[in-house]
Amino acid sequence: MATRLSSRLLIHLPAPTAAVITTSPRLRKPTAAFTASYRRRRPRLAVLAGAAPSSGAVVPAAPAGENRGAGLTPAEAQRLEEFLKADLPHLFDDVGIDRSAYDDRVRFRDPITRYDDIDGYLANIRLLKIIFRPDFYLHDVKQTGPYEITTRWTMVMKFSLLPWKPELVFTGLSIMGVNPQNLKFSSHVDIWDSIQNNEYFSLEGLVEVFKQLRYYKTPDIETPSYLVLKKTATYEVRKYPPFSVVEAKGEKLTGSSGFNNVTGYIFGKNASSEKIAMTTPVFTQASDDKLSDVSIQIALPMNKDLNSLPAPNTEAVTLRMVEGGIAAVKKFSGRPEEEIVAKKEKELRSQLLKDGLKPQQGCLLARYNDPSTKDFVKRNEVLIWLNDFTLE
């Protein structure tokens, strides 16, 4: 939700909010389908004092000084939750958030940013709209305390002031305190998944921002879409929708055996001699725990389905649909040599088990760059599919 990143360089990254989804993943380049349905102007705040819930009953604010007892009533909590689901997608559009939902002296905090009134917070949002094109995905909104509503979110933005326009991704929680006297939000505290010290001012938080400014060279061509559900200090958890691939038998994870077969299909060596647009990355997949049963794959354009693709003209090449799902991903640069990849896979699997997740056997290596790319800017990733993942 409100993830306001900032550095001491006039960069304040705010509350994440530009599109709301629950389970649908996001394309690398957001499509109108994700945002159009959330651009409608919603009614201004109808959940605070005197609001009428769906049942028709009124949700009144307590008179000043009255003891409200145990906390929000179920109806009040529901109305506040529904309000946030409707309001937060407008943080970075022309409608904007409903400032009347917040106390004038509302307290905003994240690891590297703080504001003590609504005007400061809104000024920060306006600055971010100029510097970034933030995308925000709201995963959950629920009551977590007597006068507390918590949201879980993903915030993605591009830092346009740097030539390579790095993509910064933050995931976490926003804890929204509610004033018992008027049912307005009186505090807003962000917790990032990627750091331990979330108290303001967190040097760890500032380091996390600068880490994400580093340069990975990613070709400007289509890549399979995904949504980052959770970003930790060492890996991302991504949701991939189904996508189709052209595939051939490989020899080892870092090898190129079979590469000419799959690229040959793309470049026109197929039943209809059709040339198909190249995508990135090149995947090599090991389906066994010894990382020895290997295939090489290239994802096919998203506007193609298996029924519309030309048939391969050799038995060495097959087409298939990857089911998608939830994958843990560890990114690294350098030359993806076999022993390095095996080490990265072992590190990732060990961390997943430590975190109580359920990794499947095998892994994928994603190589985004051609061999001529300088090693220190190469983008490589190890992916491990997960079973039974729950976002908490």
Side-chain angles (χ1 to χ4, degrees), residues 294-311:
V294 175
S295 63
I296 189 166
Q297 309 162 357
I298 295 179
L300 295 165
M302 294 299 167
N303 62 356
K304 299 280 189 180
D305 58 47
L306 291 181
N307 294 327
S308 65
L309 288 164

Side-chain angles (χ1 to χ4, degrees), residues 54-172:
S54 55
S55 64
V58 172
V59 183
E66 181 177 316
N67 184 355
R68 289 179 50 88
L72 297 169
T73 68
E76 289 170 343
Q78 180 182 0
R79 295 294 291 180
L80 287 169
E81 291 168 8
E82 293 303 318
F83 167 74
L84 289 173
K85 291 176 183 178
D87 189 67
L88 290 174
H90 296 283
L91 183 64
F92 296 110
D93 67 16
D94 293 336
V95 175
I97 59 171
D98 185 351
R99 66 173 292 157
S100 69
Y102 298 86
D103 277 343
D104 287 342
R105 299 297 298 175
V106 63
R107 176 179 176 269
F108 290 95
R109 296 288 186 275
D110 74 10
I112 55 178
T113 308
R114 70 178 180 186
Y115 299 98
D116 291 315
D117 59 55
I118 187 65
D119 290 330
Y121 178 55
L122 294 177
N124 182 55
I125 292 171
R126 289 192 293 270
L127 178 64
L128 286 167
K129 289 171 65 175
I130 296 171
I131 299 177
F132 299 93
R133 293 181 178 178
D135 290 318
F136 173 70
Y137 301 92
L138 183 63
H139 306 300
D140 193 24
V141 181
K142 62 184 177 182
Q143 183 179 9
T144 51
Y147 291 100
E148 179 182 282
I149 306 290
T150 297
T151 65
R152 171 161 278 285
W153 44 262
T154 296
M155 178 76 167
V156 183
M157 65 202 78
K158 287 188 181 295
F159 186 29
S160 59
L161 298 183
L162 292 175
W164 58 94
K165 295 178 174 56
E167 183 177 84
L168 289 79
V169 179
F170 290 82
T171 67

Side-chain angles (χ1 to χ4, degrees), residues 5-272:
L5 317 173
S6 70
S7 72
R8 295 186 172 182
L9 303 175
L10 300 178
I11 303 165
H12 298 293
L13 313 178
T17 41
V20 172
I21 66 169
T22 51
T23 57
S24 299
R26 151 189 179 272
L27 294 179
R28 300 294 297 153
K29 295 184 177 180
T31 63
F34 273 146
T35 57
S37 63
Y38 300 104
R39 296 301 183 187
R40 301 186 299 269
R41 178 177 288 273
R42 80 291 188 218
R44 302 306 283 178
L45 182 59
V47 302
L48 301 184
S54 55
S55 64
V58 172
V59 183
E66 181 177 316
N67 184 355
R68 289 179 50 88
L72 297 169
T73 68
E76 289 170 343
Q78 180 182 0
R79 295 294 291 180
L80 287 169
E81 291 168 8
E82 293 303 318
F83 167 74
L84 289 173
K85 291 176 183 178
D87 189 67
L88 290 174
H90 296 283
L91 183 64
F92 296 110
D93 67 16
D94 293 336
V95 175
I97 59 171
D98 185 351
R99 66 173 292 157
S100 69
Y102 298 86
D103 277 343
D104 287 342
R105 299 297 298 175
V106 63
R107 176 179 176 269
F108 290 95
R109 296 288 186 275
D110 74 10
I112 55 178
T113 308
R114 70 178 180 186
Y115 299 98
D116 291 315
D117 59 55
I118 187 65
D119 290 330
Y121 178 55
L122 294 177
N124 182 55
I125 292 171
R126 289 192 293 270
L127 178 64
L128 286 167
K129 289 171 65 175
I130 296 171
I131 299 177
F132 299 93
R133 293 181 178 178
D135 290 318
F136 173 70
Y137 301 92
L138 183 63
H139 306 300
D140 193 24
V141 181
K142 62 184 177 182
Q143 183 179 9
T144 51
Y147 291 100
E148 179 182 282
I149 306 290
T150 297
T151 65
R152 171 161 278 285
W153 44 262
T154 296
M155 178 76 167
V156 183
M157 65 202 78
K158 287 188 181 295
F159 186 29
S160 59
L161 298 183
L162 292 175
W164 58 94
K165 295 178 174 56
E167 183 177 84
L168 289 79
V169 179
F170 290 82
T171 67
L173 304 172
S174 289
I175 302 170
M176 313 282 288
V178 180
N179 184 338
Q181 303 306 317
N182 57 18
L183 297 187
K184 292 187 177 186
F185 295 111
S186 57
S187 65
H188 177 146
V189 179
D190 281 353
I191 307 296
W192 297 352
D193 294 323
S194 54
I195 62 175
Q196 295 296 316
N197 177 20
N198 275 280
E199 296 293 327
Y200 179 85
F201 178 81
S202 172
L203 181 59
E204 184 185 5
L206 184 60
V207 170
E208 172 65 17
V209 173
F210 278 99
K211 279 169 55 179
Q212 296 199 43
L213 296 178
R214 71 148 296 169
Y215 179 47
Y216 286 99
K217 185 174 182 181
T218 303
D220 189 20
I221 55 177
E222 187 175 355
T223 187
S225 62
Y226 62 81
L227 171 64
V228 178
L229 299 178
K230 190 170 186 178
K231 180 179 177 61
T232 74
T234 56
Y235 63 89
E236 295 178 352
V237 177
R238 300 175 182 170
K239 182 170 185 176
Y240 283 88
F243 59 95
S244 55
V245 297
V246 55
E247 183 175 46
K249 181 68 176 177
E251 182 180 344
K252 59 181 183 177
L253 270 176
T254 60
S256 58
S257 177
F259 180 74
N260 288 339
N261 289 330
V262 294
T263 55
Y265 172 86
I266 287 174
F267 297 148
K269 293 182 179 180
N270 51 61
S272 60

